[in-house]
Amino acid sequence: MEKSPEAAAPAAAAEEVAARFRSLVDTDDVASIRQTQNLILGRLQDSNAVLTHFNEYSEQCFVEVSSDFARKTRLLKSMKADLEHIFTKIRGMKARLAATYPDAFPDGAMAEAIDQRPDLESPLD
């Protein structure tokens, strides 16, 4: 099969452009760039392997401690509710004492003593 002159002209032009591009780029520079890219690829693959191993290890550690963490969180919430109930009862008792024996507490002393607990819900400054 012979190529028609119209089909041969674009192919010849493409060959000419490719040849000129090859003459613009030094083959040693291209080899150096490829070597650097392969070095970087190897480092990235090593980093990926290390990170994959770390993620697997972290997931395993999380599975081991998550149930313990959840149990202790529930315990702390229960303790907080119990303490809030206790402090509510104590504030009620102090209010009843102040109402029953107003002379026992100087003016304003009971208001300051009723609740001196820090607010644990507010962020620390």
Side-chain angles (χ1 to χ4, degrees):
M1 291 189 156
E2 273 186 41
K3 292 186 178 177
S4 66
E6 293 94 23
E15 285 294 326
E16 180 65 25
V17 169
R20 288 191 184 203
F21 272 120
R22 281 193 293 267
S23 69
L24 291 175
V25 179
D26 185 22
T27 55
D28 292 338
D29 290 342
V30 172
S32 173
I33 290 171
R34 288 188 65 152
Q35 182 181 7
T36 303
Q37 286 178 339
N38 286 331
L39 179 68
I40 291 171
L41 175 65
R43 288 180 181 172
L44 289 174
Q45 287 173 339
D46 291 345
S47 297
N48 191 28
V50 168
L51 288 174
T52 300
H53 177 70
F54 177 75
N55 283 339
E56 291 169 357
Y57 175 73
S58 296
E59 184 178 356
Q60 180 184 11
C61 290
F62 177 75
V63 167
E64 291 173 4
V65 282
S66 64
S67 63
D68 190 41
F69 183 72
R71 188 177 71 249
K72 291 186 178 178
T73 301
R74 284 192 303 272
L75 176 65
L76 285 173
K77 287 182 180 181
S78 172
M79 289 171 62
K80 180 181 181 227
D82 292 345
L83 287 173
E84 286 176 350
H85 177 73
I86 290 168
F87 283 121
T88 302
K89 292 285 189 178
I90 290 172
R91 280 192 298 274
M93 288 179 189
K94 285 182 179 180
R96 281 193 303 262
L97 281 173
T100 306
Y101 304 105
D103 296 338
F105 302 101
D107 289 339
M110 196 59 188
E112 294 174 9
I114 285 183
D115 189 6
Q116 294 180 347
R117 297 178 302 141
D119 185 10
L120 299 177
E121 299 294 326
S122 66
L124 297 174
D125 293 329

